[in-house]
Amino acid sequence: MWRSSGCYLRRMWDTSSLMSGAAVAGRDRGHGRKAQLRSPGLVFGQDINVARCAEDGSQIMCNGQGRADPKKIARQVADGCSVQVVHPQRFAAPVAELLKRLEAHFGCLWGANSFRTPPGSMGFKAHHDEVEVFMLQLEGAKRWRLHRCPSGPLPRSYCWDYKEEELGPPLMELTLEAGDLLYLPRGTVHKGIAVEGRPSHHLTISTYQRFCWADFLEKALPAALEAAVAAESRYRRGLPLRCLGTLGCQYRPLGSACGNTERQACISELRGLLAGLADHAAAAADVAGDFLAAQFVGRRLPPPSGQKGPDPASGGALEARWAEPAAVRVVVERSPGQEPEVQIYHALENSTDKHMMPGVEPSPACIVLEGQQCLPSLQALNTAPSGSWVPGPELDPELLQGLWEHGLLETRLAEPWPMARKRKAVNVVGRPGHRLFLLRRAKKLRRSSIHCEGLDAPTLREAEAFLLNYKLASTWLHRVRLREKLSAGGVVRLRGALPDSVARLALRTLEELPNASWNLTQAGRDAARNNVAHRFSSRRFGSETLDRLFRVLGELLPGELNSFSAGRYLQGDHIERHDDRQYTDVRMDDGSTVLCSRTVAVIWYLTPDWQKEWGGAFQDLETGEEILPEFNTIVAFNVPRFHAVQPVTGRTPRYSIFGWFLRPGKLYSLESGC
């Protein structure tokens, strides 16, 4: 199969199933299964699932509570249950090594699941996945029946709810023996039954989760629109007078009717504006590519670490290249009036035990360089043909040394080359004598921007000192006595909650986040799913300053679990009536997961001089009070409490940091609430 990989990718990828016999040597089959099941701390529902199918075809989940007992699981398997180990690469080194190689080769995420099924049993009912799937039969044999997806090809979400009568005749029926490999395109409905007399064990490896053109456009279109608005005045023109009286579902003409002239003119203008976005496709594609690539670097498995090749400081003629190109992403961030900032994201500090885990959004380690001196060197590394080496004279000596020390570059001896001319020193954030600085979990606060309005150098130093002084920050917030005030009930308002310099630093940090890095969340009201209508943007990771601010806010209720995010409300953003009830899985330091409930909600408002006519007010629906989002003011209340956020009507973004304090257990019911 892999000998003709080019033909396979052209003809089969995304379209047709394919089986390859004897894909894995017998000595490699089943390796690691016992290691997976005996790994300490496997948690039901998170790391392992146990299920069986009833006589009527329905699926019965047989998970226990908390950590799984291998002896109990063995008894369940003997009783006819199937076992799924979720993301076994976290426990089995051979699986992790396989996925590392796939991620390095394909440049996208790969995941895995392990399935053990007793003889003659079917543990998991017919379903389709939203990923490209490869099934590798490790032990025993399994009969598979494949069907087309009733909702159409290439779905973006999985489905486990198929009934036999919905599926129609099968596309293919086959039996996988140990060593066989089966490829299933996204959306292929499949169900398998272990052959009588032999237990079945197969490994599913998958890729292309949320990795289609629609996902790319979600990042590219906002960037194209931002570029178009800045470059072309037609995007900034006002809407036609009284246009909202002709647009909307209720004004849509019936049948072949064309609608009124005003409606046609509006739709025609919209078509032209949408077509005009294509003129900015190249820049938008680069923005989306940088974002998704940096995101992949942060989520992928870590590559091998350590220095490779001779030390550049030892002298001699060297050549260099990225040690693993798919583990590095160079992003250049440009701000008006400032030197460009080069961010080198890498995966060397990624965690194997959190790979592909839901709810975990890691942030890659990042090296930050200021100025343009290093750009030619980085471009030479990035544009070199795959596997090619870059001659040492083409690389800045300090950059070469620093990247090699971090393990990002590998070097080798080359033919002697003339001494490179002396270059101007690179303006790099870091300590003297070692000008590259590895910034864990975020990019460093930029010293070049201390002249920003309202945040001069002394103010910045004061804010940074506060965030770095845990005792000072803790003492400051303990004095507000939030716990005591919450016990009195109602909504607590804390004006001047933190030093003004800290609030200004928080505001500047949010304002400088790239537009594409904000995650837009929106939905309409859906009573069946207990959803409320809402729209706003949030950001949780990617800034060391944000991490420090979140830790400081956690001292409002010391000792309690918490979760904070940054928020941005633009024109039209809002949240309808809701009471914040929700359960949240929290990963503890020992690796276990605890189900928690929100108990206290906190919002820290950060936009200065907010005006009432701009909307965006907090509405306490239990008292009718409206609270304006005043700068450096914290609003807190016990959960549940019904409230809403009025639509923002002004053009000024409403920035905040919001979150919840959490306690273990289900402390309330989620029925009849949001």
Side-chain angles (χ1 to χ4, degrees), residues 156 186 208-220 288 291-292:
R156 297 184 71 205
R186 272 179 294 155
Y208 266 52
Q209 184 179 48
R210 307 293 292 180
F211 201 65
C212 67
W213 277 112
D215 303 296
F216 191 86
L217 286 169
E218 285 181 352
K219 300 301 179 185
F291 179 88
L292 293 176

Side-chain angles (χ1 to χ4, degrees), residues 317-337:
L318 295 178
E319 295 176 322
R321 65 184 180 185
W322 293 119
E324 185 170 316
V328 181
R329 184 65 175 199
V330 178
V331 177
V332 181
E333 185 173 302
R334 303 180 187 273
S335 301

Side-chain angles (χ1 to χ4, degrees), residues 194-514:
V195 171
E196 291 288 351
R198 289 183 287 171
S200 168
H201 181 209
H202 78 269
L203 180 71
T204 293
I205 55 177
S206 57
T207 188
Y208 266 52
Q209 184 179 48
R210 307 293 292 180
F211 201 65
C212 67
W213 277 112
D215 303 296
F216 191 86
L217 286 169
E218 285 181 352
K219 300 301 179 185
L221 286 178
L225 178 59
E226 187 173 359
V229 170
E232 302 179 55
S233 62
R234 60 174 175 154
Y235 289 91
R236 305 192 297 270
R237 286 203 304 263
L239 292 171
L241 292 174
R242 295 179 292 278
C243 66
L244 300 184
T246 64
L247 300 175
C249 295
Q250 59 181 323
Y251 299 110
R252 187 179 300 161
L254 301 176
S256 59
C258 295
N260 60 45
T261 305
E262 290 82 2
R263 177 182 174 85
Q264 289 180 348
C266 286
I267 294 175
S268 177
E269 180 70 14
L270 178 60
R271 286 197 182 100
L273 292 172
L274 291 174
L277 296 180
D279 296 336
H280 305 276
D286 290 338
V287 170
D290 280 340
F291 179 88
L292 293 176
Q295 186 181 66
F296 161 64
V297 168
R299 293 175 173 177
R300 59 154 290 169
L301 285 163
S305 59
Q307 284 120 15
K308 304 172 182 67
D311 186 344
S314 62
L318 295 178
E319 295 176 322
R321 65 184 180 185
W322 293 119
E324 185 170 316
V328 181
R329 184 65 175 199
V330 178
V331 177
V332 181
E333 185 173 302
R334 303 180 187 273
S335 301
Q338 297 182 19
E339 283 284 302
E341 181 180 272
V342 180
Q343 303 161 7
I344 307 176
Y345 295 96
H346 65 82
L348 290 178
E349 295 189 4
N350 289 5
S351 170
T352 298
D353 60 7
K354 294 181 180 178
H355 184 246
M356 297 296 288
M357 291 300 293
V360 176
E361 185 58 43
S363 179
C366 180
I367 294 169
V368 180
L369 309 174
E370 291 180 350
Q372 305 183 58
Q373 186 67 26
C374 62
L375 289 179
S377 299
L378 293 171
Q379 189 166 22
L381 290 166
N382 288 325
T383 58
S386 178
S388 298
W389 296 83
V390 179
E394 296 184 16
L395 303 176
D396 182 274
E398 290 185 356
L399 184 72
L400 172 62
Q401 182 69 34
L403 294 180
W404 178 85
E405 288 180 5
H406 283 306
L408 297 177
L409 288 183
E410 61 176 327
T411 57
R412 71 175 185 182
L413 292 174
E415 292 298 322
W417 38 267
M419 291 296 293
R421 62 183 176 86
K422 189 174 181 180
R423 296 171 182 257
K424 181 182 176 181
V426 185
N427 181 24
V428 181
V429 178
R431 63 183 183 271
H434 184 218
R435 308 187 64 141
L436 288 172
F437 177 62
L438 175 61
L439 184 60
R440 300 177 183 272
R441 300 297 180 207
K443 68 181 184 180
K444 188 174 177 65
L445 216 54
R446 291 189 293 239
R447 300 288 180 179
S448 62
S449 57
I450 60 175
H451 62 272
C452 289
E453 182 178 352
L455 195 62
D456 54 17
T459 304
L460 177 60
R461 286 195 295 270
E462 176 186 326
E464 290 179 325
F466 183 92
L467 293 179
L468 292 171
N469 189 331
Y470 169 81
K471 185 175 181 179
L472 174 62
S474 178
T475 302
W476 181 288
L477 287 174
H478 287 186
R479 287 185 298 196
V480 305
R481 297 157 58 188
L482 179 60
R483 197 186 309 273
E484 178 181 330
K485 293 176 181 178
L486 287 170
S487 65
V491 175
V492 177
R493 193 182 330 189
L494 305 172
R495 291 187 172 92
L498 286 163
D500 186 72
S501 60
V502 176
R504 291 185 187 182
L505 174 59
L507 173 64
R508 194 196 70 179
T509 301
L510 301 190
E511 289 177 331
E512 291 185 348
L513 292 175

